[in-house]
Amino acid sequence: MHATNTSRILMFVLAIFLVITTNQLLFAQQEQQPKAVDEKDYIAYLFTYFTGNRIEEEAVRFAISLDGYHYKALNKGLPILDSKKISSTGGVRDPHILRGQDGKTFYMVLTDMVSAEGWDANRAMVLLKSTDLIHWTSHVVNIQKRYPNQENLLRVWAPQTIYDPQVQKYMIYWSMKHGDEPDKIYYAYANADFSDLESEPKQLFFPLNGKSCIDGDIVLKDSTYYLFYKTEGHGNGLKVAKTNALTSGKWEESLDYKQQTKEAVEGSCVFKLIGVDRYVLMYDVYGKGRYQFTKSTDLEHFSVIDDEVSMDFHPRHGTVIPITRTELNRLVDTWGTPTDFNLKALHHNPVLEGYYADPEILYSKKNKKYYLYPTSDGFDQWGGYYFKAFSSTNLVDWEDEGLILDLKADVPWAGRNAWAPAIEEKMIKGKYHYFYYYSGAQKIGVAVADQPTGPFRDIGKPLIASKPAGIRGGQEIDPDVFTDPKSGKSYLYWGNGYMAVAELNKDMVSIKENTLKVITPDKTFREGTYVFYRNGLYYFLWSEDDTRSENYRVRYGTSKSPVGPITVPEKNLILAKDTAAGIYGTGHNAVLQIPAKDEWYIVYHRFSRPDGINMGDAAGYHREVCMDQLFFDKEGAILPVKPSLHGISERAIP
């Protein structure tokens, strides 16, 4: 009996240990993944709203802003969706928009209502979903028809959506009024495709005074959920209740009103300004036909900023979210750029949104397009395991071409540390082939494809797996491939702590015997070799210092041969940090020549702005890809590059 109980206890302890260990592993895996969209990539704001109580005004409209204060209407102020097609009543109000956890899916919910039919005339809401902010799928959810015991339901108002991490679902919350009861705020979770509610509505919040509350707006700050709501019919102002768990029912209510006017208000929206610890609370002063904007750092105390705000439209109850450069461009490409909206003021560095590093760039003669091949960054301790590609026709607008090589799935000999790719487009027997060289598990691999976007097929073994003779330190990483325009021969360069070169066989996937040599230029060399040819000279560029250092930078040398020896000019530092601009860690570059022109660009990575400089070692794996023009003097010396925020705004066409 004693032995049996002991065994059971041991089994129980083991089970708990396994559960804890599994959860820790899952948490670690989640922690090391880069964010879907980081705040550093937001450059503008999208305001979604309706404009009034006439049927033609009860429709979704969009406006944009570069600073969160000055807004211009899109589509000349006309609706961006047809209310009759998406609603059951023919009108919609109170649009709320949310970016999903994946960073690229957007959820919008609307009141399905025509106010001319009466304030107690609606029973439904509209659920919409989009992956591009342009095309939306829509579904009507009629609460009275969908659920039992709703016979005396009078109205369904102002739905909003928030992600609940405790259940990993999207929660929709809204106010409802039944019969003579006051308005209360309810919630239900949306189904997986955001086309319906999973279960019957439950009460989310009702103030202790037992009086009506509508227009709930929830914002998360420092692990606390702040619910702003309108006290309907008794003060007609905004109050706040706080909780640490959305559906706990435990709310701490504030006694004071948060609006900064004596007028009646409704339709609050709180949004955080990009890059600063400051929030804007805006609300509809509906009796006066205007909006009021206020600011706060703690969501408790607010001050009016109306003098700083402008709009070329008159909104009613709406919401604001931050958007990326890609999303802004998509919006204006679809609905036109508003008058006096200065798109030229946008920064174009970084050129890619997200965390990427070690960029390689290619102009494809086959497709007449540019391609970027970076390291996928943002993983803890450089733990990325896949490669992506991006394409462009103008060097400014880049399209994500998706995954092109997954080391975990496709490269058994590596499986980890997917770093620093290089690519060569080669015509063989009248057909273009693409040879993709990369670092995997501190070895050099090569994969082959028929298109610049893959899919790439690894050759099944590393191309470089050991150090050159006589080399004791460093790593076998950072490949670069170069085809000599004079001889047609192709060469592979690599090395961390040393620079090695070897001629490639005509198959491009094997090293020509007895051609390997070490050509390290000088003691400043660390890694990131890049070779190109111009006017009879071979240029060798490399990175100095460590990628975790703010002083990571690029130097160069020249040679009369693709295999050295390399001559190092006295003034050979061509890319370094700019502390005044907040730019640090500029290194590991590639170089692009515009076809048939003596026009050159340098592509490189830097610490992410603005937070990278404060990240410590983590700055070395939270990097972003930038591009600036490269110039030479009359003697062929590379002129120092001033790393910029603006980047390339004029679109380069081959």
Side-chain angles (χ1 to χ4, degrees):
M1 188 70 172
H2 176 73
T4 300
N5 287 337
T6 301
S7 298
R8 288 174 177 171
I9 292 171
L10 287 172
M11 290 177 66
F12 178 72
V13 171
L14 178 61
I16 292 176
F17 173 78
L18 288 173
V19 169
I20 293 173
T21 302
T22 301
N23 288 337
Q24 287 176 335
L25 288 172
L26 288 172
F27 179 75
Q29 291 172 355
Q30 292 170 354
E31 281 291 293
Q32 77 157 353
Q33 299 291 328
K35 293 180 180 179
V37 179
D38 196 272
E39 186 174 7
K40 75 180 187 65
D41 293 316
Y42 293 137
I43 53 87
Y45 301 82
L46 172 64
F47 187 175
T48 178
Y49 61 96
F50 78 108
T51 56
N53 296 334
R54 294 182 297 178
I55 183 66
E56 63 271 20
E57 296 173 328
E58 293 175 318
V60 179
R61 288 168 166 84
F62 279 177
I64 51 177
S65 170
L66 292 178
D67 60 6
Y69 290 169
H70 302 88
Y71 292 87
K72 295 284 187 176
L74 284 173
N75 198 31
K76 298 180 179 178
L78 298 173
I80 58 97
L81 291 170
D82 187 341
S83 298
K84 294 181 176 60
K85 292 182 178 180
I86 63 173
S87 70
S88 62
T89 62
V92 295
R93 301 167 63 93
D94 317 318
H96 178 268
I97 190 168
L98 174 75
R99 182 188 298 273
Q101 293 297 104
D102 65 359
K104 60 185 179 182
T105 304
F106 297 89
Y107 303 95
M108 188 156 55
V109 286
L110 314 165
T111 303
D112 187 345
M113 180 179 180
V114 172
S115 60
E117 301 296 325
W119 296 114
D120 293 339
N122 83 303
R123 311 289 186 268
M125 66 178 76
V126 183
L127 278 56
L128 301 101
K129 182 179 177 181
S130 174
T131 57
D132 60 7
L133 292 173
I134 310 300
H135 305 92
W136 296 84
T137 60
S138 64
H139 296 84
V140 173
V141 178
N142 188 300
I143 301 297
Q144 195 168 61
K145 294 179 179 178
R146 179 75 170 78
Y147 298 106
N149 305 317
Q150 300 288 337
E151 292 81 8
N152 63 344
L153 177 63
L154 296 182
R155 57 198 188 204
V156 175
W157 279 359
Q160 297 203 172
T161 310
I162 190 170
Y163 182 74
D164 186 347
Q166 290 189 329
V167 296
Q168 297 183 358
K169 294 180 181 180
Y170 292 96
M171 187 182 87
I172 300 175
Y173 58 99
W174 68 97
S175 60
M176 291 197 298
K177 177 178 174 61
H178 294 82
D180 294 330
E181 295 183 10
D183 300 86
K184 303 175 184 178
I185 297 177
Y186 292 79
Y187 78 94
Y189 291 102
N191 62 4
D193 62 1
F194 208 74
S195 62
D196 199 357
L197 304 180
E198 282 190 341
S199 59
E200 290 191 43
K202 297 180 181 178
Q203 184 175 305
L204 179 70
F205 174 78
F206 188 50
L208 294 174
N209 63 16
K211 296 183 179 180
S212 290
C213 57
I214 66 168
D215 291 359
D217 179 43
I218 300 176
V219 60
L220 176 63
K221 182 183 186 301
D222 300 331
S223 301
T224 298
Y225 294 96
Y226 292 73
L227 168 63
F228 290 78
Y229 63 94
K230 178 191 175 186
T231 57
E232 174 75 354
H234 56 105
N236 292 6
L238 301 178
K239 286 192 173 183
V240 173
K242 298 184 292 185
T243 186
N244 293 321
L246 281 171
T247 60
S248 66
K250 299 177 180 178
W251 295 89
E252 177 189 341
E253 298 181 32
S254 66
L255 298 177
D256 61 322
Y257 283 92
K258 301 303 182 183
Q259 76 276 9
Q260 302 299 301
T261 175
K262 295 181 179 180
E263 305 292 339
V265 304
E266 63 185 12
S268 67
C269 167
V270 176
F271 65 94
K272 182 180 179 299
L273 291 172
I274 299 166
V276 296
D277 188 21
R278 185 180 306 148
Y279 293 81
V280 170
L281 165 63
M282 64 182 197
Y283 39 81
D284 184 2
V285 189
Y286 56 93
K288 298 295 183 179
R290 62 180 178 84
Y291 248 75
Q292 182 165 78
F293 279 63
T294 66
K295 66 180 180 181
S296 173
T297 57
D298 59 8
L299 296 185
E300 298 284 356
H301 306 90
F302 298 86
S303 58
V304 175
I305 53 173
D306 287 348
D307 291 343
E308 302 174 47
V309 174
S310 67
M311 293 176 279
D312 63 352
F313 55 96
H314 297 285
R316 298 290 308 278
H317 193 156
T319 48
V320 172
I321 61 168
I323 54 176
T324 67
R325 184 173 64 232
T326 297
E327 292 157 356
L328 175 62
N329 286 337
R330 190 184 301 134
L331 289 167
V332 297
D333 285 347
T334 302
W335 288 301
T337 303
T339 303
D340 297 327
F341 192 84
N342 187 17
L343 283 174
K344 291 184 177 181
L346 291 179
H347 291 167
H348 291 274
N349 273 336
V351 296
L352 301 178
E353 291 154 8
Y355 293 113
Y356 295 98
D358 312 324
E360 167 74 315
I361 193 163
L362 169 76
Y363 175 75
S364 171
K365 296 176 183 177
K366 177 179 181 178
N367 293 347
K368 304 296 188 291
K369 293 173 72 173
Y370 301 100
Y371 292 89
L372 265 177
Y373 302 91
T375 295
S376 297
D377 217 22
F379 294 86
D380 288 349
Q381 302 300 320
W382 303 276
Y385 56 89
Y386 59 79
F387 292 104
K388 299 179 74 175
F390 299 83
S391 67
S392 175
T393 58
N394 55 33
L395 294 181
V396 175
D397 306 304
W398 292 91
E399 180 180 353
D400 188 341
E401 296 286 354
L403 212 66
I404 60 171
L405 188 66
D406 185 330
L407 298 196
K408 286 186 178 181
D410 305 324
V411 188
W413 60 262
R416 60 181 173 83
N417 300 125
W419 302 341
I423 195 165
E424 188 72 359
E425 180 182 63
K426 195 91 167 182
M427 175 75 78
I428 301 175
K429 295 181 180 180
K431 183 180 179 180
Y432 281 111
H433 296 267
Y434 298 85
F435 299 92
Y436 188 77
Y437 305 86
Y438 61 91
S439 308
Q442 286 71 37
K443 300 179 182 67
I444 306 296
V446 57
V448 184
D450 296 326
Q451 296 290 338
T453 54
F456 285 88
R457 302 171 298 281
D458 181 70
I459 64 171
K461 60 181 180 180
L463 182 58
I464 303 294
S466 59
K467 301 185 191 311
I471 298 297
R472 296 290 179 264
Q475 302 179 83
E476 289 61 70
I477 61 172
D478 291 5
D480 179 49
V481 60
F482 168 72
T483 297
D484 185 357
K486 294 172 66 177
S487 68
K489 295 179 180 179
S490 295
Y491 297 88
L492 184 72
Y493 305 83
W494 72 93
N496 160 277
Y498 64 90
M499 183 192 290
V501 61
E503 186 180 338
L504 290 161
N505 286 317
K506 290 183 178 180
D507 62 9
M508 298 292 287
V509 297
S510 61
I511 298 296
K512 189 172 183 179
E513 192 173 355
N514 299 321
T515 62
L516 192 158
K517 61 187 295 190
V518 175
I519 56 169
T520 310
D522 66 14
K523 63 182 181 180
T524 66
F525 178 85
R526 177 62 176 264
E527 60 196 9
T529 302
Y530 192 85
V531 180
F532 66 93
Y533 179 81
R534 178 184 182 270
N535 293 348
L537 277 180
Y538 298 88
Y539 291 80
F540 290 75
L541 279 63
W542 64 87
S543 294
E544 177 187 11
D545 211 327
D546 187 282
T547 194
R548 291 166 289 193
S549 167
E550 67 178 78
N551 296 313
Y552 196 55
R553 51 194 182 177
V554 177
R555 294 185 182 272
Y556 86 101
T558 61
S559 177
K560 293 293 184 179
S561 164
V563 296
I566 300 170
T567 300
V568 179
E570 182 179 349
K571 295 181 179 180
N572 76 325
L573 179 63
I574 59 169
L575 182 64
K577 67 183 180 183
D578 183 344
T579 57
I583 297 174
Y584 302 91
T586 52
H588 201 122
N589 72 281
V591 172
L592 172 73
Q593 180 185 12
I594 302 300
K597 295 182 180 180
D598 190 27
E599 183 178 340
W600 300 79
Y601 295 89
I602 185 168
V603 191
Y604 58 94
H605 72 235
R606 70 184 185 199
F607 288 179
S608 64
R609 288 185 76 256
D611 297 329
I613 189 60
N614 301 314
M615 288 183 176
D617 280 359
Y621 45 85
H622 287 86
R623 299 162 293 182
E624 55 192 17
V625 171
C626 300
M627 184 183 303
D628 284 298
Q629 195 159 1
L630 191 68
F631 295 98
F632 303 81
D633 68 14
K634 293 180 181 179
E635 285 71 42
I638 300 177
L639 299 176
V641 177
K642 183 176 178 59
S644 74
L645 301 177
H646 201 263
I648 302 168
S649 57
E650 298 300 324
R651 303 180 177 190
I653 306 296

